[in-house]
Amino acid sequence: MKWTTIAGITVWVVLITLYEWPKMNRNQNKEKAAFVILTAMGCLLAILLLFVPNIAGPTQMVTKFFKPLGKVLERNW
């Protein structure tokens, strides 16, 4: 069942890419690179969430990363 969902995610990613790619000019290399990177990250995140649904979200990761830094800055001020 999960493999069909992965196939569905892949089909959507391909369809989005086929729709958006021709709209970009030939010399928009940075935009194309950003599109590929963000699309790949979104696809991988969707597949990862399929297998590990209780994974921490981006906000929780940022909080976990910056909380010690905030404590250090509070003591120094």
Side-chain angles (χ1 to χ4, degrees):
M1 184 67 177
K2 289 185 180 183
W3 295 108
T4 56
T5 307
I6 292 173
I9 292 169
T10 305
V11 167
W12 276 108
V13 168
V14 169
L15 289 174
I16 291 170
T17 304
L18 289 174
Y19 179 75
E20 291 293 334
W21 198 262
K23 293 182 178 185
M24 291 187 230
N25 293 333
R26 245 177 224 245
N27 56 357
Q28 290 182 318
N29 293 329
K30 290 181 183 179
E31 288 83 359
K32 287 181 179 182
F35 176 79
V36 168
I37 290 169
L38 291 173
T39 305
M41 286 175 51
C43 182
L44 291 174
L45 180 62
I47 292 171
L48 182 65
L49 284 171
L50 183 65
F51 287 103
V52 187
N54 295 330
I55 195 167
T59 307
Q60 294 168 334
M61 288 185 208
V62 168
T63 303
K64 193 173 197 178
F65 181 75
F66 284 111
K67 192 171 186 177
L69 180 64
K71 288 180 180 179
V72 169
L73 290 175
E74 284 178 3
R75 280 189 234 143
N76 291 336
W77 291 93

